[in-house]
Amino acid sequence: YMSKIQRSVLDELCRFSSATIFNAVVEAMGGTQGGIELSGKGGQPICYTDQTLQYMLPEFGTVSGYAVTMELTPMDPNAVRNPWEEYYGLLDETEGPIMAFIKDVDKQPGRGASFGDNMANVLKKLDVAGVIVEGTVRDLYGIKEAGLPIWGTGRVPGHGVFSLTSVNKIIEVAGLTVTPGEIAVADEEGCSLIPGSIDPTLILKHADSITQRETEFQNKVRKPNFNLNDYYKIIH
C-alpha cells in the first residue's frame, strides 16, 4: 500500500492502543499471510516490538507516524561514518508525521547512548512524532522538554565516538522488522506496525469494531449475576 494518507487518519489511529492495532492487522489479514513474518504458532503476524522496549515518557500518550530508519554506533571508533546530513536531509524531505526507528549496531550495544536531547530538538523540528530506539538514551529531561516521545531499552549518561552507519534500510528494532514508509502506532505497551500492503483506513474500521465488541463483552462479564455458563453462551 505504502502511499501517503491524510494526516487525520494517522491522528485517528492514535485513538487505539498498540494492542488493538495489532488485533486489527490480524483481522485485516483475514487469516492470510499477507507477506508478513509469521510466528510458528497460530499464524499470527509478528508486527510488534518485544519486551525489551520501554516507553520512557509515557505522559505523551499514543503516537503514530511513517517509519524512517537508521543504524548507528555510539562507541566503536572504527565504524563506518556516514555524514549526518544524509539522515537529517531524509527526515526533512519525508512527509510527516515520522516515527524514527534507531538501532544501535555497536560491538557493545547499549553501552553508550544512542539518543539525547540535542538530537531530540533537531528531530522535533523535522516533524518527527516519536523515536523508537533499540539502544540506550540519555538527557531524558531534555528530551521531555523538547516534547518528543521516546522509547528505548535503558539509560546511560554518556557515549563514545558517535557514528551514523546506515540510513533508511529495512532493519530489526526490538524484535520488529521495520520497512521504511510503514505506519507505526506506539504506546506504553510498545509499537505495532501496519504492513504497507494494508490500507490504514481498513485498520481503523477493524479497530472500531474490535473496541465495540470488547466493550460489550466486558460489560456483560462485569454484571453482578454473571457466571461461567453465561460466558460459555457468549463464546459459542
Side-chain angles (χ1 to χ4, degrees), residues 55-74:
Y55 194 177
M56 295 181 166
L57 295 172
E59 55 267 39
F60 285 127
T62 307
V63 181
S64 69
Y66 298 105
V68 171
T69 69
M70 69 103 136
E71 294 174 307
L72 51 72
T73 57

Side-chain angles (χ1 to χ4, degrees), residues 183-205:
I183 293 172
V185 179
D187 60 10
E188 288 186 62
E189 294 183 334
C191 175
S192 293
L193 275 182
I194 299 173
S197 58
I198 299 177
D199 184 343
T201 59
L202 181 62
I203 296 298
L204 279 178
K205 292 177 183 177

Side-chain angles (χ1 to χ4, degrees), residues 15 46-47 51 55 71 91 116 123 125 146 181 212 214 218:
R15 292 194 292 115
I46 308 174
C47 58
Q51 76 282 5
Y55 194 177
E71 294 174 307
L91 293 176
L123 266 58
K125 292 295 184 180
Q212 183 177 348
E214 291 186 347
Q218 291 166 19

Side-chain angles (χ1 to χ4, degrees), residues 72-76 103-115 133-138 153-162:
L72 51 72
T73 57
M75 300 296 287
D76 185 0
K103 184 180 181 73
D104 177 354
V105 294
D106 203 280
K107 294 172 185 174
Q108 305 177 71
R111 185 64 187 92
S114 293
F115 199 86
V133 186
E134 183 182 300
T136 52
V137 171
R138 70 173 188 168
T153 58
R155 296 170 69 178
V156 295
H159 61 73
V161 179
F162 202 70

Side-chain angles (χ1 to χ4, degrees), residues 19-31:
T20 299
I21 295 298
F22 166 76
N23 289 346
V25 168
V26 172
E27 285 201 3
M29 288 171 59

